[in-house]
């Protein structure tokens, strides 16, 4: 039983192991000869915390079983009644694994003058998820597993039995070993797992993204390389413009290890700026214009930016007063025109810094990840090999530059001789416009989050037989993968943390008929090593969950100015022969499937992903706690409706009790908290709902118990003023669609869609439903212009008449047409 608990602990990554075990119930002499069924079930709970020696664990389990035997007459049903566990008809209460020891001597069934034959019975139905039966048979013990085939396959169970036997052998050889030291693997198995998938690329010794791009310029100088809106550049034109800006940056002192910010809307200039910075020998820092000004200022300061490439309108819109040299590509156009069009020829060493990109940080501040030239070049060469793009291909880029996978959008087509089409922000916001863009450009590749692909599919998008679909940033479900396969030339699922350069593994979806609910994250990309370990950094066998460590060429230099955090996350993995390799601890729980694919199981910490963005709840909590009205705060991601993940903030206000604050000015409080967060964090990091509490529920160790945080109640937004309710049939129809998507019971006609917890993705769903309801096309931008029920209703009503009549009627009504347009667009894009 002790060894079995160790086995289950390894396979479940849990230290609290509970199994059931039957007991005969004949603990009195007078019951031994009675006919009847006296069997009861004991629940045996083993605690493996503290990493005890096996002998210590054995003593503990002995005490446990003796105590259980002493209370064996308590019916199992009574135990369930007293403990009141959460009931689920699909599983047994209290335990799902049975451990049975059959040590009763076999009876002699010989009967005078009759021949008897023993027939072994079998069952096709497993009573529990997993059952282990140990039968004493003369001088040996026979072990047998029975398993639920919905959860386990034969290979997995056979491996478990092999590992159980291996554990018992290891224990017998030395029972004083710590539980973590008990080895499931043989030397040959460990060696096999330690062999990396290292497949070196010869080009990596001398190549870099700049030289690879310039090779394409030589091959096809007249081919269209870049398009955005009405503007196009050939490979030669793009190279010349990037060279001119690169020479100008070099004159400003840009060179190796010098960071240059890129603050531009999605445009041709954005691509020119990134290429120019790399050509000058520097490293680029992507900055999204929609980020709060405070966050942009922090990034500039923290990264030690030497120059900022932007344009006048973007600089004005962000209200960013940068204390660095600013290059405005529109204002400085004449100055740049006088620079040389020749390649700068800056020396780019493999360990030169290529870019710094900021991700959410658990301590309250974002952290900059430093990626070197060798890492970026290695990935691009691997992607070129995987997707085999060429001159006939066109890639449509929809990812914001500050999202790390944008690197694939920019460099993959330009290093392959293909065409790059930058989707404008309004085309990304409006799925119908994006659909038209894909059709117009006859795109042969696009990468996006599963959320965006889902939105495209929901619009009735038919796809393209030549389109290569790349999904990244979120978990890809088999259902969506099947729909994408029907609409494309192929579907790939990519995985990788920012710290290991965008993609570390890739899986091409061949079939969606088998496996779990989600698609595997595949096998390592070129020059990438993966190791799956337990919390003691020991390799786990195939099929066993563990933390994913990633090594190889893609591993980043570390975190900018964060030596402590770098040392914590970038560590050495020590091989069985004493060799070491530098790896990144992802914090992701995975397991190795049969066939070599990795399966993503979830996070080991509080990091979450919403709409493809990596979010540390600790950063949101830290910023929220800075508000003068907040005493304590916790932020969690909830999925109360399948497929709809939302951030929810739980706040203990300062001063009076939360119930009193809720009663008097709860709405004002929530607005104050939301505005405080929006001033410092990206919109996707702002909770869509807030719950005020008198105190946060805590575990016995003093940490917030997220399991006891209540689900957000349905908000009543309707005041006592009758005029605040939707006033006519049109407003009521809009309100009904809003309520269904925002999950609120009442909405005032002046409430802002985004203030009620809406976001751009929900807005896209609302748009589809409005179009179906009113049988007319509605531009996505108009929903941002009119984010309240009354303004949207007026727009829909008057838009049906002539433009002049519409404007006159709206003026009579005293409605400001353009109010909230910029605020809404800044808040959700």
């Amino acid at each position: 039983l002790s060894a079995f608990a160790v086995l289950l602990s390894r396979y479940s990554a849990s230290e609290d192991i509970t199994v059931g075990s039957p007991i005969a119930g004949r603990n009195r002499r007078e019951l031994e000869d009675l006919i009847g069924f006296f069997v009861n079930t004991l629940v045996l709970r083993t605690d493996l915390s503290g990493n005890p020696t096996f002998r210590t664990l054995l003593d503990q389990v002995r005490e446990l079983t003796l105590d259980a035997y002493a209370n064996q007459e308590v019916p199992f049903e009574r135990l369930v009644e007293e403990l009141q566990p959460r009931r689920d008809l699909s599983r047994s209460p209290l335990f799902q694994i049975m451990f049975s020891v059959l040590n009763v001597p076999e009876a002699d069934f010989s009967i005078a003058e009759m021949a008897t034959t023993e027939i072994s019975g079998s069952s096709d139905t497993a009573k529990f998820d997993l059952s282990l039966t140990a039968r004493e048979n003369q001088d040996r013990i026979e072990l047998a597993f029975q398993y639920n085939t919905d959860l386990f396959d034969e290979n997995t169970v056979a491996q478990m039995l092999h590992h159980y036997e291996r554990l018992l052998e290891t224990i017998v050889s030395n029972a004083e070993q710590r539980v973590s030291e008990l080895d499931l693997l043989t030397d040959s198995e460990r060696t096999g797992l330690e062999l990396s998938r290292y497949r070196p690329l010869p080009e990596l010794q001398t190549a870099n993204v700049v030289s690879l791009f310039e090779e394409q310029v030589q091959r096809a100088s007249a081919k269209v390389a870049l398009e955005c809106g009405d503007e196009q550049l050939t490979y030669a034109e793009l190279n010349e413009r990037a060279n001119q800006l690169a020479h100008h940056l070099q004159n400003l002192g840009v060179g190796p290890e010098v960071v240059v910010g890129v603050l531009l809307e999605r445009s041709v200039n954005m691509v020119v700026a990134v290429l120019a910075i790399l050509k000058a020998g520097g490293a680029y820092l992507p900055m999204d214009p929609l980020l709060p000004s405070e966050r942009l200022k922090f990034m500039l300061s923290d990264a030690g930016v030497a120059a900022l490439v932007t344009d006048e309108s973007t600089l004005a819109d962000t209200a960013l007063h940068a204390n660095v040299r600013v290059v405005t590509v529109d204002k400085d156009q004449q100055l740049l025109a006088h620079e040389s069009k020749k390649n700068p020829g800056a020396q780019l060493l493999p360990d030169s810094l290529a870019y710094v990109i900021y991700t959410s940080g658990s301590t309250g501040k974002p952290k900059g990840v430093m990626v070197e030239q060798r890492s970026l070049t290695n990935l691009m060469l691997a992607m070129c090999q995987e997707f085999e793009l060429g001159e006939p291909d066109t890639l449509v880029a929809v990812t914001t530059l500050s999202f790390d996978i944008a690197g694939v959008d920019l460099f993959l087509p330009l290093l392959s001789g293909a065409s790059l089409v930058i989707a404008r922000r309004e085309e990304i916001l409006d799925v119908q416009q994006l659909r038209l863009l894909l059709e117009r450009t006859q795109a042969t590749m696009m990468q996006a989050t599963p959320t965006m692909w889902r939105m495209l599919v929901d619009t009735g998008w038919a796809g393209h037989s030549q389109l290569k679909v790349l999904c990244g940033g979120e978990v890809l479900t088999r259902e969506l993968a099947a729909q994408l396969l029907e609409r494309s030339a192929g579907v790939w699922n990519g995985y990788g943390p920012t710290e290991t350069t965008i993609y570390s593994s890739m899986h091409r979806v061949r079939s969606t008929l088998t496996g779990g609910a989600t698609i595997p994250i595949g096998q390592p990309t070129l020059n990438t090593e993966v190791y799956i370990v337990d919390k003691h950094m020991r390799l786990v066998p195939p099929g066993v969950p563990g933390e994913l460590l990633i090594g190889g060429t893609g591993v980043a230099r570390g975190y900018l100015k964060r030596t402590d955090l770098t040392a914590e996350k970038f560590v050495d993995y020590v091989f069985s022969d004493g060799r070491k390799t530098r790896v990144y601890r992802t914090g992701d729980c995975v397991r190795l499937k049969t066939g070599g694919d990795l399966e993503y199981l979830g996070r080991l910490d509080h990091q979450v992903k919403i709409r493809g963005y990596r979010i540390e709840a600790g950063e949101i909590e830290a910023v929220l706690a800075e508000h003068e009205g907040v005493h304590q705060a916790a932020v969690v991601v909830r999925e109360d409706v399948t497929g709809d993940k939302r951030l929810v903030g739980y706040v203990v206000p300062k001063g009076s009790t939360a119930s009193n604050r809720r009663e008097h000015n709860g709405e004002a409080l929530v607005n104050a908290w939301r505005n405080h967060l929006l001033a410092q964090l990206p919109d996707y990091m702002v909770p869509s709902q807030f719950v005020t509490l008198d105190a946060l529920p805590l575990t016995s160790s003093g940490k917030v118990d997220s399991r006891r945080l209540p689900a957000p109640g349905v908000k009543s937004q309707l005041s006592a003023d009758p005029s605040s309710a939707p006033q006519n049939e049109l407003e009521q129809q809009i309100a009904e669609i809003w309520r269904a998507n925002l999950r609120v019971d009442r909405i005032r006609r002046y409430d802002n869609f985004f203030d009620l917890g809406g976001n751009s993705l929900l807005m896209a769903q609302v748009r589809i439903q409005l179009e179906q309801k009113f049988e007319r096309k509605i531009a996505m931008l108009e929903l941002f212009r009119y984010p309240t029920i009354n303004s949207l209703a007026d727009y829909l009503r008057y838009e049906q008449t002539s433009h002049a009549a519409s404007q006159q009627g709206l003026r009579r009504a005293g409605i400001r047409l353009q109010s909230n347009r910029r605020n809404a667009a800044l808040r959700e894009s």
Side-chain angles (χ1 to χ4, degrees):
L1 177 60
S2 299
F4 189 50
V6 173
L7 179 73
L8 295 177
S9 176
R10 295 288 181 87
Y11 270 79
S12 65
S14 172
E15 294 178 335
D16 187 358
I17 302 299
T18 304
V19 301
S21 186
I23 191 165
R26 298 177 182 268
N27 57 338
R28 299 182 183 179
R29 184 177 296 275
E30 54 265 39
L31 297 177
E32 290 185 2
D33 295 330
L34 288 182
I35 295 176
F37 190 74
F38 297 91
V39 174
N40 191 19
T41 303
L42 303 178
V43 183
L44 306 175
R45 186 176 186 180
T46 305
D47 180 10
L48 290 94
S49 62
N51 195 22
T53 66
F54 184 80
R55 190 177 296 280
T56 302
L57 177 66
L58 189 62
D59 291 340
Q60 174 191 323
V61 171
R62 183 175 185 273
E63 295 275 342
L64 166 78
T65 51
L66 289 176
D67 287 344
Y69 297 155
N71 295 279
Q72 62 179 286
E73 294 180 350
V74 178
F76 178 75
E77 293 76 11
R78 174 68 183 278
L79 192 62
V80 173
E81 181 183 337
E82 290 293 327
L83 294 178
Q84 295 185 345
R86 182 180 177 184
R87 300 307 298 269
D88 184 343
L89 295 179
S90 68
R91 62 183 63 191
S92 165
L94 301 183
F95 70 92
Q96 287 80 50
I97 296 178
M98 177 66 81
F99 179 79
S100 305
V101 178
L102 304 181
N103 56 0
V104 179
E106 292 189 11
D108 181 9
F109 289 104
S110 60
I111 303 175
E113 300 181 0
M114 295 187 67
T116 61
T117 302
E118 182 177 350
I119 299 175
S120 299
S122 62
S123 173
D124 293 331
T125 303
K127 298 179 178 62
F128 302 96
D129 292 352
L130 187 69
S131 297
L132 174 62
T133 301
R135 180 190 298 272
E136 293 185 9
N137 186 359
Q138 297 179 359
D139 60 346
R140 63 179 181 170
I141 298 177
E142 297 173 349
L143 304 174
F145 270 126
Q146 185 185 67
Y147 56 94
N148 184 340
T149 53
D150 289 337
L151 302 176
F152 302 97
D153 60 28
E154 184 175 352
N155 290 332
T156 300
V157 175
Q159 177 183 272
M160 290 182 72
L161 200 52
H162 164 68
H163 288 151
Y164 187 35
E165 185 179 8
R166 169 72 176 162
L167 264 180
L168 292 170
E169 292 172 348
T170 305
I171 290 165
V172 169
S173 66
N174 183 4
E176 302 302 331
Q177 293 182 87
R178 297 280 177 184
V179 168
S180 65
E181 298 169 348
L182 297 173
D183 212 340
L184 298 184
L185 300 172
T186 63
D187 293 340
S188 60
E189 288 173 329
R190 186 181 301 101
T191 301
L193 290 172
E194 286 182 345
L195 289 176
S196 68
R197 315 293 176 86
Y198 191 80
R199 288 177 288 169
L201 289 168
E203 301 93 330
L204 191 58
Q205 302 302 320
T206 56
N208 56 65
V209 290
V210 171
S211 65
L212 292 171
F213 167 69
E214 291 172 352
E215 287 177 12
Q216 294 300 332
V217 174
Q218 294 295 320
R219 289 194 185 102
S221 61
K223 183 185 185 302
V224 173
L226 177 62
E227 173 188 332
C228 185
D230 297 328
E231 190 172 5
Q232 284 187 345
L233 293 179
T234 65
Y235 268 89
E237 291 168 338
L238 173 59
N239 190 51
E240 289 174 354
R241 282 182 55 173
N243 287 341
Q244 288 177 314
L245 179 54
H247 283 293
H248 182 68
L249 291 173
Q250 285 182 328
N251 294 336
L252 297 178
V254 174
E257 303 300 309
V258 175
V259 180
V260 179
V262 179
L263 181 65
L264 288 164
E265 277 291 349
R266 301 181 62 78
S267 61
V268 164
N269 282 332
M270 180 185 76
V271 182
V272 170
V274 171
L275 277 174
I277 294 167
L278 294 175
K279 279 173 166 282
Y284 69 92
L285 168 67
M287 304 173 69
D288 191 333
L290 294 187
L291 290 175
S293 180
E294 289 299 317
R295 196 174 185 89
L296 293 175
K297 289 177 183 177
F298 171 82
M299 292 164 63
L300 284 175
S301 174
D302 189 63
V305 169
L308 176 66
V309 181
T310 183
D311 56 38
E312 287 193 294
S313 61
T314 304
L315 195 60
D317 287 343
T318 56
L320 182 64
H321 302 288
N323 296 320
V324 297
R325 291 294 299 269
V326 176
V327 179
T328 48
V329 290
D330 48 358
K331 183 180 178 181
D332 297 332
Q333 189 171 3
Q334 291 185 349
L335 178 64
L336 295 174
H338 290 92
E339 296 286 358
S340 171
K341 295 181 179 180
K342 294 182 178 180
N343 295 331
Q347 185 179 13
L348 296 176
L349 299 176
D351 59 354
S352 295
L353 193 62
Y355 63 82
V356 176
I357 192 165
Y358 277 81
T359 65
S360 180
S362 59
T363 59
K365 295 292 183 183
K367 52 186 183 290
V369 180
M370 299 182 289
V371 176
E372 296 176 341
Q373 282 284 344
R374 66 158 61 90
S375 301
L376 180 59
T377 306
N378 176 73
L379 176 70
M380 289 307 114
L381 289 172
M383 297 291 281
C384 288
Q385 211 174 90
E386 178 71 31
F387 290 96
E388 299 179 334
L389 297 188
E391 290 190 19
D393 289 297
T394 298
L395 185 147
V396 170
V398 299
T399 309
T400 178
L401 188 61
S402 59
F403 195 1
D404 67 335
I405 64 174
V408 173
D409 278 352
L410 267 58
F411 298 115
L412 178 58
L414 297 181
L415 271 56
S416 303
S419 295
L420 167 61
V421 175
I422 300 292
R424 293 169 297 174
R425 197 174 295 276
E426 55 266 31
E427 290 170 326
I428 299 172
L429 287 173
D430 191 332
V431 184
Q432 296 288 6
Q433 287 194 48
L434 178 59
R435 176 180 170 182
L436 292 174
L437 179 65
L438 289 171
E439 293 171 355
R440 178 180 66 80
T441 60
Q442 290 294 290
T444 57
M445 183 172 179
M446 188 175 92
Q447 73 162 343
T449 62
T451 299
M452 179 163 283
W453 287 115
R454 166 63 64 192
M455 291 167 58
L456 270 171
V457 169
D458 289 344
T459 65
W461 169 68
H464 185 332
S465 61
Q466 301 300 313
L467 179 67
K468 296 177 180 179
V469 170
L470 174 55
C471 296
E474 292 176 312
V475 172
L476 174 63
T477 64
R478 290 191 177 275
E479 176 193 10
L480 178 58
Q483 293 173 318
L484 293 174
L485 275 176
E486 296 172 354
R487 294 166 168 81
S488 67
V491 177
W492 284 260
N493 187 32
Y495 159 86
T498 303
E499 289 85 348
T500 58
T501 314
I502 310 176
Y503 288 121
S504 299
S505 68
M506 194 74 62
H507 175 76
R508 182 167 185 180
V509 183
R510 304 288 183 180
S511 171
T512 60
L513 301 179
T514 59
T518 60
I519 296 295
I521 59 176
Q523 300 191 17
T525 54
L526 292 174
N527 293 339
T528 299
E529 308 164 24
V530 295
Y531 309 98
I532 307 173
V533 300
D534 60 23
K535 67 178 184 177
H536 301 286
M537 294 290 283
R538 293 173 65 89
L539 284 177
V540 299
V544 176
E547 181 181 5
L548 178 62
L549 309 181
I550 298 178
T553 310
V555 178
R557 182 185 296 179
Y559 297 114
L560 183 67
K561 300 178 182 177
R562 299 291 297 277
T563 55
D564 54 340
L565 188 59
T566 299
E568 176 187 337
K569 299 296 288 185
F570 295 85
V571 300
D572 286 335
Y573 172 75
V574 182
F575 291 92
S576 54
D577 60 5
R579 291 181 299 114
K580 295 181 180 179
T581 185
R582 186 169 181 265
V583 296
Y584 171 69
R585 299 191 65 167
T586 66
D588 287 329
C589 184
V590 303
R591 64 183 167 201
L592 187 63
K593 294 169 62 79
T594 303
D597 278 332
L598 297 170
E599 180 183 14
Y600 178 81
L601 301 175
R603 288 291 301 174
L604 297 171
D605 55 19
H606 300 295
Q607 187 187 106
V608 297
K609 276 202 171 182
I610 300 289
R611 291 150 49 200
Y613 292 101
R614 196 171 91 181
I615 296 171
E616 294 277 4
E619 181 176 358
I620 309 172
E621 293 168 352
V623 174
L624 193 53
E626 294 173 356
H627 190 275
E628 60 183 7
V630 174
H631 174 58
Q632 287 180 304
V635 176
V636 299
V637 62
R638 298 188 67 101
E639 194 173 0
D640 297 311
V641 175
T642 302
D644 183 13
K645 289 184 178 180
R646 297 190 181 192
L647 285 173
V648 178
Y650 294 86
V651 179
V652 178
K654 283 184 179 177
S656 56
T657 64
S659 55
N660 288 336
R661 298 293 292 268
R662 250 193 327 264
E663 182 179 347
H664 292 98
N665 57 355
E667 188 176 339
L669 272 177
V670 169
N671 287 335
W673 297 333
R674 182 176 286 116
N675 291 334
H676 173 73
L677 292 173
L678 282 170
Q680 300 182 61
L681 300 176
D683 58 335
Y684 57 81
M685 292 182 68
V686 178
S688 60
Q689 292 174 290
F690 288 87
V691 177
T692 50
L693 301 172
D694 291 328
L696 294 175
L698 303 178
T699 64
S700 57
S701 59
K703 297 181 180 180
V704 175
D705 189 349
S706 58
R707 293 175 299 181
R708 292 168 53 203
L709 290 170
V714 179
K715 296 181 290 185
S716 178
Q717 298 286 349
L718 190 64
S719 71
D721 182 5
S723 65
S724 68
Q727 295 295 296
N728 51 56
E729 183 180 0
L730 179 57
E731 289 189 356
Q732 290 170 357
Q733 289 174 325
I734 297 172
E736 180 181 350
I737 293 175
W738 279 27
R739 280 194 293 266
N741 286 275
L742 294 170
R743 300 204 305 276
V744 298
D745 61 344
R746 299 178 185 178
I747 301 176
R748 297 178 299 191
R749 61 199 302 256
Y750 300 108
D751 282 332
N752 188 294
F753 181 84
F754 300 100
D755 290 339
L756 296 176
N759 56 53
S760 59
L761 300 184
L762 283 176
M763 180 68 87
Q765 295 177 17
V766 166
R767 173 177 172 270
I768 294 171
Q769 293 170 25
L770 287 172
E771 288 185 338
Q772 293 172 345
K773 182 76 173 179
F774 301 118
E775 298 181 346
R776 54 183 291 186
K777 294 294 183 182
I778 303 172
M780 188 74 168
L781 187 58
E782 302 306 328
L783 298 183
F784 283 98
R785 286 175 173 169
Y786 309 113
T788 63
I789 287 177
N790 73 309
S791 65
L792 180 58
D794 283 323
Y795 163 74
L796 294 175
R797 185 183 305 112
Y798 289 102
E799 196 267 348
Q800 294 176 3
T801 64
S802 68
H803 178 74
S806 172
Q807 295 301 311
Q808 183 180 2
L810 289 171
R811 281 196 296 272
R812 284 201 305 268
I815 294 175
R816 298 174 59 194
L817 294 179
Q818 301 299 325
S819 65
N820 292 320
R821 175 183 178 183
R822 180 59 184 169
N823 289 339
L826 284 173
R827 192 180 296 117
E828 276 293 324
S829 65

